[in-house]
Amino acid sequence: MSSDRRKPYPFDQIEPKWQAIWDERQLFHAPNPGEKGFHPPKPKFFVLDMFPYPSGAGLHVGHPEGYTATDIVARYKRLRGFNVLHPMGWDAFGLPAEQYAIKTGQHPAVTTRENVAKFKSQLKRIGFSYDWKREINTTDPNYYKWTQWIFLQIYNSWFNPETNRAEPISTYRGTDPDTVRLAYVADVPVNWCPELGTVLANEEVVDGKSEVGGFPVVRRPLRQWMLRITAYAERLLNELEGLDWPEGIKLLQRNWIGRSQGAEIDFKIENMEQRIRVFTTRPDTLYGGTFLVLAPEHSLVDLIVTEEQWPAVREYRERAARKSELERADLSKEKTGVLTGAYAINPATNEKIPVWIADYVLLGYGTGAIGGVPAHDERDLEFAKKFDLPIVIVVQPTGDEPAFGFTGEGIAVNSPIINGLTSAEAKKKITSWLEERGLGKRAINYKLRDWLFSRQRYWGEPFPIVWENGRHRALQEKELPVAPPPLDDYKPTGTGEPPLAKAKEWIRYSDKANRETNTMPQWAGSCWYYLRFCDPRNDKRFVGEEAEHYWMGGDKPGGVDLYVGGTEHAVLHLLYSRFWQKVLFDLGYVSKPEPFQRLVNQGIILGEDNQKMSKSRGNIVNPDDVIDHHGADAFRCYEMFMGPLEQMKPWSTRGVEGVARFLARVWRLLMTENQAGDWELSQKIKAVDATKQQQKLLHATIKKVTEDIESFSFNTAISQMMIFVNAVTNAETIPLAAMRKFLILLNPFAPHISSELWERLSAKFRDAPGDVTQQSWPVYDERLLVEDEVEIVIQINGKLRDRVRMPIVATEEELKAAALANPKVQDRIAGKAVRNVIVVPKKLVNIVVT
RNA sequence: GCUCGCGUGGCGGAACUGGCAGACGCGUACGGCUCAGGACCGUAUGGGGCGACCCGUGGAGGUUCGAGUCCUCUCGCGAGCACCA
């Protein structure tokens, strides 16, 4: 007696069989222009997954959700005659491999190789139709050579505000190009994570902790490489407009970029030459400004602070510096601050107002200084109350809310030159007034900060930069790639000096020059990988011109036609790669300013207990187990049948059984088991015409599945196929041609079983040459879908009372007459007045009575 | 606190521009077939009532001949931002 249960159909045999065939025949390889097998008339379709970081834990059920969706689309588009680019690769630089190396001494490259092999075999088991000839790995020198090359293009260019685009640094006419490069070095307060021994980008810090690992992050000044992404703030914001992305993601990016419009106003300091510049979105409240506040770190503080205030200021600054980001941002705490002892002049009122420092003002935003308008700003009000500062009302609400503490728009009061104007008008007028006097100007501010681009890590791309006499200098293209040095000890130094600094020989570039020892962040490789997929083996260029033009759409709309991934990259990868794409576009290297035309986010898959899957909860579902039990086709179909792709939804073991049962029914529809226990083709299959009803259902199914794939409603597409199979199951004879069409519809969802059944049909009937993957997508005939009769709903006062079958050609008058003559209606409306009869052709009649 | 998104049976979810609420699947019940095997097949399945009928899409209003769908308010859940001047 065998312990393993008999399989409802032999997926364990047919799935490996077809995977091997696909591999061997390179069936899913997409030829590039000029290559063998390339057909110019075929339209292109670029469908991309967010490539994974190959972790040691292997694939979890969340990964294949998006991958299955894109695979269905890829297979569908091929059947529709597209040349489909559907690639996969590995985003393999990153912390886990490095931390494993620190623990065990095993080189990250070895760990990466092992993990990639594991991921790849898991993906292959699911039957994804990737073009494996295009596989890329960000840690491959042939790949990161070009990541470094792109960095050099960024380094060697600047953003020309007049043309609003990046240009080669040679076009810069100023004295020091290093001040305008898109990649530059700056001493900035950075997010330093002691536990990880590295700095992190703003985007990588969540609630004062590292996104990876959740370790505390503190502010610390360090000299770091930055990328001038802020130069692109406006374009990154505006060009979101034309993208077919979920509104939620667009909104996240808009908020992250955080554009606000207002004015910069200069305040004279009493008895000093310097002026304090503040940024405000409400210049119309200038008359209500009764104090100024500078960020504690503001550079003017040293100059303006008075002798007697020095001790207090120094102490306050030290305390602020010691605070973590989290403590500083704690909203529940009371406002703090100290007087500098200096006074400024409000340019509108000419009054003397005190200058304070307080940590609620951030150095990083605006000018690092604000004008305090306590009557119309919550924070300023809180501050003014705490320190007993004057409060002057200058905006009168138009509603009946109190003016005190009113932060909305209203009418200007107590403001001589703008009295009576609406806030919008007042803003314009006061700003012009300031501009005329050289006291201020219109200004736009962004929350977006420049991208902190260096990391103190081993397992990342080294910068193609050397230092000589304290100045940085780019390497030549021919010196790429710059490989990381071999090291025995990968540990962070803890001082902020990168581990590469330990490689004494590697650092020494020449007698005079040393190599840069920072590495690039993990995002670097993923910023442009979609471009490399177009031409992954090119050793002359990061992507061949013709290949880029073809796959990214050239002058036609497109780019990556479909990009599927999680929302977690909304302000990280998706913002960074848009930025790189724009730089490359400006410099003439690529044909599109935006990389991803259409973006779809898959929702998270929860555990069976409705909780987030996690090791500690013990609710993780392993795809390998599911495939062992039910096969890859059932796994794929269940991932899609669970519910809408974008939605968060829980895993259900029972649910998998349901779809597995469906596939088994498909199998048994065409196959029967003989005495010996072998599967053979069912005798019920005949090369006969389908019945009228079968024909109608088939065409309804073609229509529904086609439309549902186009609209990403994979769950309802599967429902419709279930309805079809349920209906055909009881038929005496099974019409061959209809089943052929059905198998093509099923193929994108369940490629193995549909391939096998197709082949078995071909062995007997020889009516359709080739594999199912080589067929073309069925077309439905609208004429077959129209009914002769329809069911008309009869309502009285909007409530369902009866249904009658009527010819589809029935006129409104006929429908109305039939409804009124209906016995149930007669009973109900007896003695009542019919006030109105609404007729919706082919649908319903609604009788309105009193 | 602010900004988005979402609330439909015992469960996952269907329902195109307002037009038969609950497709499909799970679960459950009964029946069949069987070596009672957690396999397979069939039938039923929103709630209430013996019944004709009545009630039902988080809650309260509104628009409409007609609302799960549109509008207003409200409650709950999820996500994002969080002193951004």
Side-chain angles (χ1 to χ4, degrees):
Chain A
M1 198 179 79
S2 153
S3 67
D4 67 340
R5 254 198 351 265
R6 210 170 137 23
K7 306 260 189 304
Y9 78 96
F11 58 79
D12 53 331
Q13 287 155 41
I14 64 176
E15 290 179 354
K17 169 187 155 183
W18 284 99
Q19 285 159 17
I21 290 172
W22 297 332
D23 243 6
E24 201 182 291
R25 299 191 198 154
Q26 292 287 335
L27 221 51
F28 305 120
H29 174 60
N32 268 3
E35 279 178 19
K36 206 179 105 210
F38 179 78
H39 297 295
K42 272 192 173 185
K44 70 95 186 179
F45 196 82
F46 189 170
V47 47
L48 184 66
D49 294 302
M50 289 185 185
F51 67 161
Y53 173 77
S55 74
L59 223 54
H60 57 82
V61 290
H63 282 120
E65 190 192 12
Y67 300 167
T68 303
T70 55
D71 198 58
I72 288 168
V73 173
R75 287 175 178 272
Y76 164 75
K77 288 284 181 184
R78 281 190 206 102
L79 290 165
R80 295 217 77 156
F82 284 78
N83 189 19
V84 173
L85 178 54
H86 187 39
M88 181 44 79
W90 318 104
D91 189 16
F93 275 127
L95 221 43
E98 179 169 330
Q99 288 182 315
Y100 190 72
I102 292 166
K103 251 191 281 174
T104 64
Q106 173 160 283
H107 194 277
V110 178
T111 317
T112 301
R113 206 178 309 127
E114 286 169 2
N115 292 351
V116 163
K118 178 165 185 187
F119 261 67
K120 192 171 173 181
S121 76
Q122 282 187 301
L123 289 180
K124 287 204 165 187
R125 259 196 100 186
I126 306 175
F128 291 135
S129 62
Y130 292 123
D131 179 356
W132 286 108
K133 274 189 167 174
R134 293 176 185 264
E135 178 180 358
I136 56 178
N137 182 326
T138 55
T139 66
D140 180 343
N142 294 320
Y143 183 90
Y144 68 69
K145 168 182 179 179
W146 297 108
T147 308
Q148 291 169 334
W149 180 87
I150 294 173
F151 175 82
L152 288 183
Q153 309 316 304
I154 296 171
Y155 176 86
N156 285 320
S157 51
W158 70 296
F159 193 87
N160 185 342
E162 313 217 322
T163 56
N164 196 28
R165 59 189 191 86
E167 292 176 9
I169 195 75
S170 54
T171 69
Y172 178 65
R173 295 284 158 252
T175 48
D176 185 2
D178 286 354
T179 59
V180 294
R181 290 179 190 276
L182 286 181
Y184 64 98
V185 175
D187 260 306
V188 287
V190 297
N191 304 300
W192 169 254
C193 179
E195 191 70 29
L196 297 175
T198 183
V199 299
L200 297 170
N202 289 337
E203 290 82 353
E204 293 170 305
V205 181
V206 179
D207 291 336
K209 294 191 181 125
S210 63
E211 196 206 16
V212 176
F215 303 116
V217 171
V218 294
R219 281 276 169 189
R220 165 178 176 181
L222 267 183
R223 194 156 74 153
Q224 295 293 319
W225 282 95
M226 310 286 289
L227 298 190
R228 212 177 293 278
I229 190 171
T230 49
Y232 281 86
E234 193 72 29
R235 280 170 60 188
L236 287 167
L237 187 68
N238 292 343
E239 288 163 37
L240 273 174
E241 212 62 48
L243 301 179
D244 185 4
W245 285 21
E247 273 311 310
I249 298 287
K250 287 193 188 180
L251 194 68
L252 284 177
Q253 289 214 352
R254 281 193 198 107
N255 290 343
W256 189 262
I257 295 166
R259 179 185 199 271
S260 49
Q261 197 166 348
E264 282 178 0
I265 304 174
D266 291 334
F267 285 71
K268 282 185 195 151
I269 307 169
E270 195 185 38
N271 303 325
M272 294 192 90
E273 281 302 299
Q274 279 82 9
R275 292 173 173 210
I276 298 173
R277 176 166 292 183
V278 305
F279 173 73
T280 176
T281 54
R282 294 298 297 272
D284 59 307
T285 62
L286 182 56
Y287 282 90
T290 54
F291 55 94
L292 289 191
V293 189
L294 307 188
E297 308 88 347
H298 198 289
S299 57
L300 274 180
V301 174
D302 290 335
L303 287 167
I304 64 170
V305 68
T306 57
E307 195 112 8
E308 55 274 27
Q309 286 305 105
W310 243 124
V313 166
R314 189 186 300 125
E315 203 219 308
Y316 187 80
R317 282 177 130 185
E318 279 168 9
R319 206 151 17 98
R322 271 202 309 275
K323 280 186 190 172
S324 72
E325 280 300 288
L326 202 57
E327 288 169 313
R328 207 173 145 165
D330 185 5
L331 284 175
S332 58
K333 70 158 201 235
E334 272 196 33
K335 292 273 176 292
T336 58
V338 292
L339 263 172
T340 60
Y343 287 85
I345 310 297
N346 182 325
T349 60
N350 279 319
E351 274 173 31
K352 233 174 83 171
I353 57 175
V355 181
W356 291 71
I357 62 170
D359 67 1
Y360 81 93
V361 176
L362 309 173
L363 187 67
Y365 184 77
T367 60
I370 62 155
V373 185
H376 306 292
D377 182 282
E378 270 177 57
R379 298 148 300 180
D380 296 345
L381 179 59
E382 213 184 306
F383 191 76
K385 280 181 174 166
K386 172 91 186 266
F387 295 106
D388 210 14
L389 297 161
I391 299 167
V392 179
I393 289 171
V394 291
V395 179
Q396 188 61 45
T398 47
D400 43 12
E401 58 271 70
F404 187 88
F406 176 72
T407 56
E409 307 234 316
I411 305 293
V413 294
N414 295 329
S415 309
I417 60 167
I418 51 174
N419 272 335
L421 298 181
T422 64
S423 296
E425 294 163 346
K427 280 178 194 174
K428 272 189 207 155
K429 180 147 184 205
I430 191 93
T431 308
S432 310
W433 183 87
L434 288 165
E435 276 174 352
E436 283 157 22
R437 281 157 188 77
L439 297 169
K441 57 170 198 252
R442 282 197 283 149
I444 291 165
N445 243 291
Y446 300 94
K447 282 203 282 187
L448 186 68
R449 302 268 68 90
D450 274 340
W451 178 11
L452 187 119
F453 194 67
S454 41
R455 297 292 181 277
Q456 294 70 49
R457 287 180 188 164
Y458 174 75
W459 194 227
E461 301 89 346
F463 282 74
I465 292 284
V466 293
W467 289 82
E468 196 169 332
N469 300 325
R471 292 187 68 108
H472 45 79
R473 165 162 70 77
L475 293 180
Q476 301 293 306
E477 184 178 332
K478 61 173 191 274
E479 297 174 89
L480 304 180
V482 180
L487 274 190
D488 298 323
D489 173 17
Y490 307 97
K491 245 186 233 108
T493 59
T495 60
E497 201 182 17
L500 294 195
K502 297 180 197 170
K504 298 291 177 216
E505 279 175 37
W506 179 85
I507 290 175
R508 217 176 134 76
Y509 173 76
S510 71
D511 285 349
K512 284 177 265 171
N514 281 339
R515 290 184 190 276
E516 167 67 52
T517 55
N518 281 293
T519 53
M520 299 186 201
Q522 186 176 6
W523 312 106
S526 60
C527 268
W528 70 284
Y529 76 114
Y530 52 94
L531 292 168
R532 189 63 180 171
F533 274 138
C534 298
D535 196 11
R537 305 288 170 256
N538 195 322
D539 57 3
K540 303 279 186 305
R541 211 166 178 276
F542 74 113
V543 55
E545 247 172 305
E546 194 182 11
E548 191 278 336
H549 198 264
Y550 176 70
W551 288 114
M552 291 300 286
D555 37 22
K556 293 189 285 290
V560 174
D561 298 279
L562 175 64
Y563 195 23
V564 176
T567 47
E568 67 272 19
H569 294 120
V571 292
L572 293 157
H573 160 63
L574 286 172
L575 193 62
Y576 297 151
S577 44
R578 291 182 64 217
F579 165 48
W580 279 36
Q581 176 81 14
K582 286 183 192 306
V583 176
L584 292 170
F585 174 75
D586 287 353
L587 298 176
Y589 291 116
V590 295
S591 51
K592 281 263 179 336
E594 283 287 337
F596 313 121
Q597 184 51 40
R598 181 168 185 204
L599 175 73
V600 174
N601 291 122
Q602 86 264 24
I604 302 171
I605 296 185
L606 304 172
E608 202 126 14
D609 54 358
N610 245 303
Q611 301 288 310
K612 225 175 191 157
M613 282 194 197
S614 74
K615 235 185 225 161
S616 58
R617 287 202 184 86
N619 59 355
I620 293 184
V621 179
N622 181 343
D624 289 327
D625 297 341
V626 180
I627 293 172
D628 286 342
H629 279 98
H630 303 289
D633 283 336
F635 178 73
R636 293 168 60 110
C637 287
Y638 179 64
E639 288 260 359
M640 296 297 100
F641 188 65
M642 291 168 80
L645 185 67
E646 287 98 331
Q647 192 173 301
M648 187 190 288
K649 47 210 177 286
W651 186 266
S652 157
T653 305
R654 296 283 197 186
V656 190
E657 289 166 14
V659 252
R661 220 169 281 166
F662 159 65
L663 293 175
R665 281 161 76 104
V666 172
W667 180 264
R668 288 197 314 270
L669 186 57
L670 300 184
M671 306 295 293
T672 52
E673 210 170 2
N674 65 18
Q675 295 288 316
D678 295 325
W679 290 103
E680 54 185 33
L681 212 58
S682 165
Q683 297 300 317
K684 288 161 91 179
I685 307 166
K686 304 219 169 79
V688 295
D689 286 343
T691 65
K692 212 175 159 193
Q693 253 190 339
Q694 288 171 338
Q695 189 77 304
K696 191 189 280 177
L697 183 57
L698 173 69
H699 281 256
T701 303
I702 296 170
K703 181 176 181 183
K704 179 89 176 128
V705 173
T706 307
E707 289 171 355
D708 283 354
I709 292 176
E710 296 279 356
S711 67
F712 277 71
S713 309
F714 304 113
N715 53 333
T716 49
I718 294 170
S719 299
Q720 183 63 36
M721 289 190 282
M722 287 173 168
I723 292 170
F724 177 80
V725 170
N726 291 347
V728 184
T729 294
N730 297 317
E732 284 296 310
T733 54
I734 297 166
L736 174 67
M739 289 315 296
R740 289 276 195 198
K741 286 189 173 157
F742 171 75
L743 289 176
I744 300 171
L745 297 182
L746 181 62
N747 178 257
F749 297 82
H752 310 89
I753 191 175
S754 53
S755 294
E756 180 71 17
L757 290 172
W758 184 274
E759 187 185 64
R760 296 221 186 195
L761 286 177
S762 296
K764 178 168 174 190
F765 292 98
R766 305 180 179 282
D767 59 322
D771 291 335
V772 63
T773 44
Q774 294 163 298
Q775 308 304 311
S776 38
W777 191 254
V779 184
Y780 62 89
D781 185 345
E782 198 72 61
R783 283 169 309 175
L784 291 172
L785 294 176
V786 294
E787 314 256 353
D788 313 329
E789 276 196 331
V790 280
E791 195 163 61
I792 301 293
V793 168
I794 301 178
Q795 297 179 335
I796 297 174
N797 289 344
K799 291 204 169 165
L800 174 72
R801 290 308 172 198
D802 204 3
R803 301 174 241 255
V804 290
R805 293 200 71 83
M806 295 285 286
I808 192 140
V809 291
T811 63
E812 288 197 25
E813 279 308 312
E814 285 166 341
L815 289 173
K816 183 174 171 181
L820 288 169
N822 182 283
K824 289 192 187 173
V825 172
Q826 287 282 315
D827 285 354
R828 286 195 173 259
I829 63 175
K832 291 177 181 163
V834 175
R835 297 173 58 102
N836 197 4
V837 180
I838 314 277
V839 179
V840 182
K842 296 182 212 176
K843 284 232 166 81
L844 63 77
V845 180
N846 187 14
I847 300 161
V848 186
V849 297
T850 39

